Structure formats: C-alpha cells, structure tokens
C-alpha cells in the first residue's frame, strides 16, 4: 500500500485516503470481472475508500438498482478484504414507488437490503442520498442513530442537502443527542463551484464535516477529453458534457489545467483532482475509473503537490 496520508471523516474516527473511488461504474460501464480487478488494484495501491449507493445502477436498461452493491459484495466474499476497505453506501433515491425517501421504516428495510447485497454485517458510512422534506429530520436521524447503536453502521452522512437543511439537521442531532451527519457529499469541481462554496462549505467547516464531493471531474470534461464539439461522440454522455461545459469559461479552465500539468509532467485529470485535494475543506473527492491505467492516473493525483501560485491560477481561471 502506498504511504499517502489519510484524512478523518468528520468526528467519526474513520480515516480514509485523499481520494474516494466511485462505485457507480460497477454493473454499468464495468462488468463484474473487470470490477473485481479494479477493486483488487484499488486496495493494493492505497485507494481503499469505496463509495456506492443502493440505486446504482438503476438507470441502465434492464437494471433494477443494487447492481453495484451486489458486485462489491461478491468481491468482498471472494477476496476476504472487508477489513481492508472503508465502505460507503446510500439510501433515499427511488428504487421503486414504495422504496424511496428517508422514512424510518424504509431506512430499516433499505439497510438490511444493502447489507445483504454487500455480504457484510456493517457499513462504514451510510448516507442519506438526498434530502426528504416529507419526513421530519428528527425521525430520519433517530433511525440512523439506532443503526449506529446496533453496530450496523459506523457513521452517517448527507448528500444533496442545502446548507440550511444541513445546518438544521446538525442542530437537531445536537439538541436531541442523536448521531449527526459526519460527512457531506456535494457536487464540486473546478467548473461547478458556486453550489458548494456559497453556503455548504461554511457549514462543513464550522462543524468539522468530512467532504467527499462528486462529479469531481465534471463528468470527464476536466480530463481534457472534450475540447471541441465533435468530441461529443467520444462517450455516451459526451453530448451533455459538451453542451454544459464547452464554452469560453470551460476552455479557459482546460487551458489552465494544461499549463499546470505541463510543468509537472502530469495530466489534466491529476491537476484537477490535486486542486480539490488541496482545498482545506475537502476530504476526499470521488472519482471513478474503468481501467487499471486510469487507477494509476488517480494514484499520481494523490502524489501531486501544487504550489500556491498554481492553485491561484486554477482558481482564477475557473472564477465565474
């Protein structure tokens, strides 16, 4: 295992590497056999924090959700490496009309389903995948609290909450003596900065939350793969990526990434991730890979140290 540093997930006592691996690719763009080889490589190379969700990958035709967890569970059983990883999953996105949201009764059912698919008796980080405004926060938090007391979950986190709702949830936990959200999973990258920096970041810093942000490469745009309209054909999501990011600001960000990458003999991917890792409030950006060579790229990102000037150059280029 590489000697890279680890960081704490809030006050959970759980240490993780500086990058999180996104398990949404398992059972979607990566088949079971390749998933196993990727998971073996992640443990071997020190990127042993794996994030998934019960809903992955329901969006694929013919899938019902649970595919990613099922593959991870089979790998855990075959490899015996449960103690070698930190495992995060989520509840709350719709699996079916009756399997949805954060009502206590449903959380109880969903955690058992996830544990069964993952073939483990505990989840390190169990996250509310999105806010459920139809269920009182206190009820949701009490349900999570009981799972921690039973040893089924070590810590809880929130994804896709507004700053106000996150603040309110933390206040309720404190007032009622319930387990609190130790982590936040927001969208954040060099292009999509406002949603996190304008409100959520302040709550995270104030309460010492671990932040594991998703879309850290802006759906692949920050890898430099999409530089002209014709590049939309490079992937299934290419059209949407080009439509959203290929504009003067996006190109300005790519230019800055290229500039910094050249001086380090690095890739734009490595620089884009290193910029996030260097931000004091960010714990471990989430990023996926579909090949072993891409995992090597991620390992290099964790070893890349940017100068203060380079961080500022990237921040300036991506300012709105």
């Amino acid at each position: 295992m590489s000697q890279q540093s680890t960081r704490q997930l809030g006050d959970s006592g759980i240490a993780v590497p500086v990058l999180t691996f996104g398990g949404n690719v398992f059972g979607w763009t990566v088949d079971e056999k390749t998933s196993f080889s990727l998971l073996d490589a992640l443990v071997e190379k020190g990127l042993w924090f794996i994030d998934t969700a019960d809903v992955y990958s329901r969006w694929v035709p013919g899938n019902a959700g649970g595919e990613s967890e099922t593959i991870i569970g089979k790998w855990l059983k075959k490899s015996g490496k449960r103690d070698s990883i930190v495992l995060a999953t989520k509840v709350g996105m719709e699996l079916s009309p009756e399997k949805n949201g954060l009502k206590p009764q449903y959380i109880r059912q969903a955690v058992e389903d996830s544990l069964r698919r993952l073939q483990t008796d505990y989840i390190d980080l169990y996250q509310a995948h999105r806010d459920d405004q139809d269920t009182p926060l206190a009820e949701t938090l009490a349900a999570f609290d009981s799972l921690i007391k039973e040893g089924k979950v070590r810590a809880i986190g929130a994804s896709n909450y507004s700053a106000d709702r996150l603040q309110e949830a933390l206040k309720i936990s404190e007032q009622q003596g319930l387990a609190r959200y130790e982590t936040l999973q927001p969208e954040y990258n060099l292009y999509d900065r406002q949603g996190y920096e304008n409100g959520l970041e302040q709550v995270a810093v104030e309460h010492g939350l671990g932040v594991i942000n998703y879309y850290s490469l802006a759906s692949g745009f920050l890898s430099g793969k999409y530089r002209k309209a014709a590049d939309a054909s490079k992937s299934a999501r290419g059209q949407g990526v080009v439509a959203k990011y290929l504009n003067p600001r996006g190109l300005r960000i790519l230019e800055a990434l290229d500039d910094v990458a050249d001086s380090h003999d690095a890739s734009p991917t490595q620089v884009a991730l290193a910029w996030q890792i260097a931000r004091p409030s960010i714990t471990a950006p989430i990023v996926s890979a579909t090949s072993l060579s891409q995992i090597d790229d991620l390992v290099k990102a964790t070893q890349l140290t940017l100068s203060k000037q380079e961080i500022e150059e990237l921040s300036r280029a991506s300012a709105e």
Side-chain angles (χ1 to χ4, degrees), residues 30-87:
V30 180
D31 63 19
E32 187 175 300
K33 186 175 174 223
T34 309
S35 299
F36 281 22
S37 65
L38 291 175
L39 285 160
D40 285 335
L42 288 164
V43 171
E44 183 194 327
K45 294 174 187 291
L47 296 178
W48 33 264
F49 182 23
I50 315 295
D51 175 76
T52 186
D54 58 3
V55 77
Y56 298 164
S57 44
R58 186 182 176 223
W59 56 86
V60 180
N63 281 6
E67 289 80 14
S68 174
E69 288 184 335
T70 299
I71 285 175
I72 293 169
K74 287 180 179 177
W75 172 78
L76 286 174
K77 188 178 182 189
K78 184 184 175 197
S79 68
K81 289 180 180 168
R82 178 64 186 92
D83 294 340
S84 303
I85 67 164
V86 171
L87 182 56

Side-chain angles (χ1 to χ4, degrees), residues 126-164:
Y126 199 39
Q127 301 157 98
H129 206 156
R130 66 169 173 210
D131 188 9
D132 174 4
Q133 306 221 6
D134 296 329
T135 304
L137 285 165
E139 287 184 17
T140 294
L141 291 162
F144 282 139
D145 185 75
S146 66
L147 295 181
I148 290 176
K149 291 194 168 104
E150 290 165 31
K152 291 180 176 177
V153 169
R154 290 177 68 196
I156 56 169
S159 181
N160 301 306
Y161 274 57
S162 68
D164 288 349

Side-chain angles (χ1 to χ4, degrees), residues 267-287:
S267 68
T269 292
Q270 291 163 26
V271 175
L273 294 173
W275 178 84
Q276 291 168 64
I277 291 168
R279 192 171 187 89
S281 70
I282 297 290
T283 309
I286 301 170
V287 67

Side-chain angles (χ1 to χ4, degrees), residues 57-314:
S57 44
R58 186 182 176 223
W59 56 86
V60 180
N63 281 6
E67 289 80 14
S68 174
E69 288 184 335
T70 299
I71 285 175
I72 293 169
K74 287 180 179 177
W75 172 78
L76 286 174
K77 188 178 182 189
K78 184 184 175 197
S79 68
K81 289 180 180 168
R82 178 64 186 92
D83 294 340
S84 303
I85 67 164
V86 171
L87 182 56
T89 192
K90 312 182 198 76
V91 57
M93 290 285 193
E94 184 174 313
L95 279 166
S96 67
E98 68 281 356
K99 291 185 175 182
N100 188 19
L102 297 172
K103 289 194 169 23
Q105 189 182 346
Y106 175 57
I107 289 174
R108 170 71 54 185
Q109 177 194 346
V111 78
E112 295 301 339
D113 289 344
S114 285
L115 288 167
R116 189 185 69 251
R117 285 189 291 262
L118 290 163
Q119 300 197 48
T120 183
D121 53 5
Y122 71 99
I123 292 161
D124 294 293
L125 177 65
Y126 199 39
Q127 301 157 98
H129 206 156
R130 66 169 173 210
D131 188 9
D132 174 4
Q133 306 221 6
D134 296 329
T135 304
L137 285 165
E139 287 184 17
T140 294
L141 291 162
F144 282 139
D145 185 75
S146 66
L147 295 181
I148 290 176
K149 291 194 168 104
E150 290 165 31
K152 291 180 176 177
V153 169
R154 290 177 68 196
I156 56 169
S159 181
N160 301 306
Y161 274 57
S162 68
D164 288 349
R165 288 281 286 180
L166 180 61
Q167 184 84 42
E168 192 185 339
L170 292 164
K171 187 175 167 188
I172 288 168
S173 291
E174 190 177 5
Q175 287 173 341
Q176 301 192 17
L178 298 169
R180 69 164 201 164
Y181 289 137
E182 293 293 350
T183 61
L184 167 66
Q185 188 171 140
E187 177 178 7
Y188 187 61
N189 57 58
L190 261 170
Y191 190 101
D192 301 294
R193 294 175 56 182
Q194 298 296 331
Y196 173 65
E197 290 180 15
N198 294 353
L200 278 168
E201 184 171 33
Q202 189 182 340
V203 178
V205 170
E206 191 182 315
H207 295 274
L209 305 187
V211 178
I212 51 175
N213 51 300
Y214 65 88
Y215 285 167
S216 58
L217 292 174
S219 300
F221 177 75
L222 299 175
S223 72
K225 185 169 152 182
Y226 308 94
R227 294 173 182 270
K228 51 189 189 300
D231 291 337
S233 63
K234 286 186 176 179
S235 75
R237 60 185 179 180
Q239 202 61 55
V241 175
V242 164
K244 180 175 180 183
Y245 296 111
L246 198 65
N247 53 47
R249 181 166 164 256
L251 291 168
R252 197 168 69 232
I253 293 169
L254 288 186
E255 198 177 322
L257 285 169
D258 289 340
D259 184 47
V260 175
D262 285 346
S263 61
H264 285 277
D265 193 21
S267 68
T269 292
Q270 291 163 26
V271 175
L273 294 173
W275 178 84
Q276 291 168 64
I277 291 168
R279 192 171 187 89
S281 70
I282 297 290
T283 309
I286 301 170
V287 67
S288 295
T290 55
S291 68
L292 296 174
S293 60
Q294 288 176 343
I295 290 180
D296 290 334
D297 212 23
L298 304 186
V299 172
K300 285 177 185 159
T302 69
Q303 299 161 347
L304 178 59
T305 305
L306 303 179
S307 69
K308 188 165 177 275
Q309 287 78 7
E310 288 167 336
I311 290 168
E312 285 169 0
E313 179 189 342
L314 291 162

